[in-house]
Amino acid sequence: MTYHHFHLKAEWPGGRNEVGTIEADKLKTQISIPKEMDGPDVGTNPDEMLLGAAATCYIITLGAMVERAGLPLKEMSMDSEGIVDVTDGVITYNKIIHKPRVLLKSEASDKDMDKLNKLVEKAEKSCMISRAIEGNVALELQPSIGKE
């Protein structure tokens, strides 16, 4: 078994509406509560970071699967949406919706398209962030796939 360790340092000056910082190996940014939750909206926030972790994990996983399957990829992109519920002061990350767009080259066969359909679904189940939040945050896929 191999363990990978990731480290992050957070600085927070106090109070709800302050602005702090986080720093990891390749990430350095300010953090605060977003405007949607009546915060100062400086830098990023936990809601965006969870959405970013889920989205990047999914698209990287899907890209690796498409490559391993030898599918003739033309282009791939994705929009993702995080839905946070605030009820009676309780904040709950409710759902993440991924909307991947995958276009294969014109020489892609029907078999390639079938394989791509399966991989789009499988990538969500294989992504470590999806597995980490499973049972706590609903995950939804709204894929758009085709060929040129």
Side-chain angles (χ1 to χ4, degrees), residues 4-22:
H4 300 278
H5 297 258
F6 298 92
H7 302 275
L8 181 137
K9 179 178 180 165
E11 301 272 341
W12 190 258
R16 179 192 188 281
N17 286 319
E18 299 292 337
V19 176
T21 60
I22 58 171

Side-chain angles (χ1 to χ4, degrees), residues 72 104-115 147:
L104 297 183
K105 294 178 182 172
S106 59
E107 68 262 19
S109 66
D110 289 343
K111 185 178 177 182
D112 290 337
M113 294 304 295
D114 289 342
K115 182 67 172 175
K147 63 181 178 178

Side-chain angles (χ1 to χ4, degrees), residues 3 10 19-20 29 40 50-51 55 78-79 83 86 104 110 125 145:
Y3 290 100
V19 176
T29 189
L50 181 59
L51 180 61
M78 185 169 73
D79 292 326
I83 301 170
V86 182
L104 297 183
D110 289 343
K125 294 168 183 56
I145 65 169

Side-chain angles (χ1 to χ4, degrees), residues 36 45-56 58 77-85 92-101 124 133 137-142:
E36 294 85 355
N45 57 71
D47 311 288
E48 285 182 339
M49 292 183 64
L50 181 59
L51 180 61
T56 55
Y58 174 81
S77 64
M78 185 169 73
D79 292 326
S80 292
E81 177 182 0
I83 301 170
V84 176
D85 175 35
T92 305
Y93 214 112
N94 192 298
K95 181 191 280 191
I96 292 175
I97 304 167
H98 292 314
K99 301 170 187 174
R101 289 177 304 283
E124 186 64 53
I133 63 176
V137 178
L139 296 167
E140 182 179 320
L141 283 175
Q142 296 177 3

Side-chain angles (χ1 to χ4, degrees), residues 120-146:
V120 164
E121 295 289 330
K122 184 177 180 183
E124 186 64 53
K125 294 168 183 56
S126 300
C127 164
M128 73 171 176
I129 302 298
S130 297
R131 291 192 324 265
I133 63 176
E134 187 176 24
N136 294 305
V137 178
L139 296 167
E140 182 179 320
L141 283 175
Q142 296 177 3
S144 172
I145 65 169

